[in-house]
Amino acid sequence: MNEGRRAARRQVLQVAAKLLEEGGSEAVSTRAVAAAAGITAPALYRMFDDKDGLLAELAAYGFEMYLAEKREALALTPDDPVADLYRGWDLHVDFGVQHPAFYMLMYGTVQPGRRPPAADEAHALLVGLLGRAADAGRLRVPVEQATRVIHAATTGATLALIGEESSERDLTTSTRLRDTVIASITTDSPVSSGSDLASRALALDAALGTALTTGPPAAGTGVPLRDTETALLREWLQKLAG
């Protein structure tokens, strides 16, 4: 796609985003978007095929907005992986409350195997935060399990808040759930010498995972184990983590 067509497509998405924010997904008809963007309906169909294609692109656009806001905010926080988990939760919920129509499109219409690339990036950002916590010996459960717990809890909390009248919405509900959930998967402080075997096992497992995914190791570095040995070691570490 050339730069001109990409810019035109982006402009139409911005117009559609405004309609979505103001009137929800029902307001994003192909006729309404074409009229607001000053283009013909056939031109819109050439860009997005149909309304489902347009809504899928809007969901991806929403994830891009979410990621931009989250990355910028997390860059300002102290270098504490657990503090970042608390901050990341609040950013997630705040985005949903501030952009309910977008959030419903992004998380309320999810189908297996149909996530936009930006959604995978959002997932990877959470995995990265939890991986840092594991590296620091601050995680009680494996990263994959912690990811599922955080994702389910933040999504559920946000959808529940969106479903309430703004005048009756109590954000302390999210805060209480956040504190309970994060406390259940993290340790209170960095692991001291000789204590908390589970967190130490998870930290080593996270370090192995990082070493295996950062590309070909330089001479004398990396994991000096065969694939079968590495898999067995990681299985043992997962068992030690409980």
Side-chain angles (χ1 to χ4, degrees):
M1 186 184 299
N2 62 40
E3 198 62 36
R5 291 179 63 187
R6 187 177 293 108
R9 188 187 187 92
R10 192 73 175 179
Q11 183 178 7
V12 172
L13 281 174
Q14 290 171 347
V15 169
K18 186 173 186 296
L19 292 175
L20 178 68
E21 296 265 45
E22 293 175 349
S25 59
E26 293 79 10
V28 188
S29 67
T30 52
R31 178 177 298 180
V33 173
I39 61 175
T40 63
L44 185 70
Y45 284 121
R46 284 194 294 271
M47 290 182 181
F48 304 103
D49 293 333
D50 54 21
K51 182 177 179 179
D52 287 341
L54 175 59
L55 290 176
E57 290 284 346
L58 269 179
Y61 184 82
F63 274 112
E64 290 174 11
M65 288 196 309
Y66 167 69
L67 281 170
E69 291 181 11
K70 194 165 187 177
R71 287 199 179 101
E72 181 180 358
L74 286 175
L76 303 175
T77 60
D79 189 20
D80 180 336
V82 175
D84 281 348
L85 289 176
Y86 282 89
R87 180 64 175 146
W89 178 298
D90 291 341
L91 290 167
H92 182 103
V93 173
D94 183 66
F95 179 88
V97 171
Q98 296 299 321
H99 306 281
F102 259 117
Y103 193 89
M104 290 295 296
L105 186 61
M106 292 159 58
Y107 288 99
T109 58
V110 175
Q111 296 182 35
R114 294 188 60 183
R115 290 197 311 185
D120 290 331
E121 290 181 38
H123 178 80
L125 181 59
L126 174 57
V127 171
L129 289 176
L130 289 163
R132 286 177 52 223
D135 285 337
R138 302 289 306 276
L139 215 56
R140 298 181 189 273
V141 298
V143 170
E144 183 179 355
Q145 182 181 345
T147 301
R148 291 178 178 273
V149 169
I150 292 286
H151 175 73
T154 52
T155 303
T158 307
L159 290 173
L161 288 170
I162 288 174
E164 297 177 351
E165 294 290 343
S166 57
S167 59
E168 299 176 2
R169 189 175 293 147
D170 183 1
L171 293 178
T172 61
T173 301
S174 172
T175 302
R176 292 192 182 101
L177 181 60
R178 178 202 66 191
D179 293 349
T180 300
V181 169
I182 294 179
S184 75
I185 63 171
T186 61
T187 60
D188 294 333
S189 59
V191 179
S192 59
S193 177
S195 67
D196 201 339
L197 178 61
S199 291
R200 285 183 172 275
L202 287 168
L204 179 54
D205 183 58
L208 280 170
T210 299
L212 292 169
T213 57
T214 52
T221 66
V223 180
L225 298 172
R226 292 190 294 269
D227 290 346
T228 52
E229 294 171 331
T230 302
L232 182 58
L233 174 57
R234 298 194 74 180
E235 181 181 349
W236 287 342
L237 290 171
Q238 295 286 334
K239 287 184 177 180
L240 287 172

